[in-house]
Amino acid sequence: MSVIAVAGATGAQGGATARALLAAGRRVRALTRSPTSSAATALRDLGAEIHRADFEDRTSLAAALTGADALFAVTTPFEADASAEVRQGRNLVDEAVAAGVGHIVFTSAAHADRRTGIPHYDSKFAIECHLRASGVSWTIIAPAAFMDNWSSHWTLEGLREDVFGWPMPPGTPLALIPAEDIGAFAALALTRPAEFTGRRIDIASDVLTPEQIAQTLARATGRPVTHRRTPLAAVRAHSSDLAAMFAYFTSPGLDVDTAALRRAHREVGWHSFADWAAAQDWRTLLA
């Protein structure tokens, strides 16, 4: 049976991809910097092989990728910066090619190939270009905004006060996707390379306005949640990168053909935002 390596396997996208592959009976090699973490243990219990790999340590990458037939590649700029993300992404691609990995699926960001000016989109596009030039068979999937971000961090702080704070106008649509659907789509591309090789695909599961998101959260939480537009200046004071992203989300916005994706890839089991919100344990999250 072929071996599929999954980078960032203890993170949201990597974890979802590993679980989707394991559920399909595939042999998964989970790459993580923390092989003794609870997330790694959970994957091991599901049948994954756990290998230590650090994107800054090319020796560890070479060892973890040797013998792998395919790779799910994911990077992040938020642990260091965008330049570090590019360096780490190139390391991962180069070591995969050197190890003889036959196909790489890289998860980027929707519209990252459109000169958005968003630093962490531009860094992902630089990795896309490096992957395309590497000579290996590739697929790029590019997710829209993550639904999962709204069950953690500062969004929960607002929801505890019945406010969905979001730096966009109430009626502007936003393309959304949960990590579970990203993982399911990545699993398709990894297990059916002939169908997906050489393709770059923006993916999303639903499209809602901030006002509609607030209404959906109100139904799911049982609280009178309303949308309040967070000033972009407040976001910029925290991160100019995120401010650029929200400005882009507002105009020109993310246009992803969710209807076409659902028709073409029904097996993904696409989740609407209402589906995702209803599945969260809001009682515990908002305690």
Side-chain angles (χ1 to χ4, degrees), residues 10-278:
T10 53
Q13 295 188 71
T17 301
R19 289 188 294 273
L21 290 166
L22 289 165
R26 299 292 178 159
R27 185 178 171 188
V28 172
R29 181 179 296 175
L31 277 52
T32 175
R33 289 178 306 178
S34 306
T36 61
S37 66
S38 59
T41 299
L43 288 175
R44 183 182 289 110
D45 290 345
L46 290 174
E49 306 168 12
I50 308 299
H51 286 243
R52 180 189 171 276
D54 187 325
F55 292 177
E56 295 284 11
D57 178 0
R58 296 184 66 145
T59 300
S60 74
L61 286 176
L65 291 167
T66 297
D69 299 285
L71 167 67
F72 173 77
V74 60
T75 58
T76 177
F78 297 118
E79 293 181 358
D81 55 31
S83 62
E85 179 180 26
V86 174
R87 180 177 64 252
Q88 292 170 3
R90 288 173 174 167
N91 287 347
L92 183 57
V93 169
D94 291 347
E95 291 304 327
V97 172
V101 171
H103 187 66
I104 298 176
V105 175
F106 174 60
T107 179
S108 181
H111 289 205
D113 59 339
R114 302 192 190 185
R115 300 183 183 275
T116 64
I118 305 166
H120 74 276
Y121 280 40
D122 291 346
S123 56
K124 286 179 172 56
F125 184 58
I127 298 168
E128 290 186 32
C129 293
H130 189 73
L131 175 59
R132 289 171 185 260
S134 69
V136 74
S137 169
W138 59 268
T139 304
I140 296 165
I141 63 173
F146 293 179
M147 297 178 189
D148 306 78
N149 288 341
W150 294 330
S151 61
S152 61
H153 309 309
W154 52 270
T155 298
L156 291 179
E157 296 177 11
L159 290 180
R160 292 187 182 102
E161 298 178 1
D162 301 330
V163 171
F164 173 59
W166 196 248
M168 289 176 61
T172 299
L174 177 64
L176 312 169
I177 191 167
E180 183 176 355
D181 291 359
I182 299 171
F185 197 93
L188 285 185
L190 287 159
T191 57
R192 287 154 43 180
E195 180 180 342
F196 289 94
T197 292
R199 296 178 62 191
R200 186 192 190 282
I201 309 168
D202 286 344
I203 58 173
S205 308
D206 204 353
V207 179
L208 293 177
T209 67
E211 188 171 53
Q212 290 170 328
I213 292 169
Q215 293 168 355
T216 305
L217 289 171
R219 289 191 293 272
T221 62
R223 304 171 71 108
V225 178
T226 57
H227 168 247
R228 179 185 298 166
R229 186 177 183 181
T230 305
L232 200 59
V235 179
R236 189 173 294 108
H238 170 70
S239 169
S240 58
D241 190 335
L242 291 179
M245 181 185 72
F246 287 121
Y248 187 90
F249 284 176
T250 298
S251 180
L254 298 177
D255 60 315
V256 181
D257 192 342
T258 56
L261 286 166
R262 287 176 179 270
R263 288 193 301 270
H265 306 290
R266 298 180 187 278
E267 58 269 71
V268 170
W270 304 96
H271 294 79
S272 68
F273 183 67
D275 295 334
W276 175 86

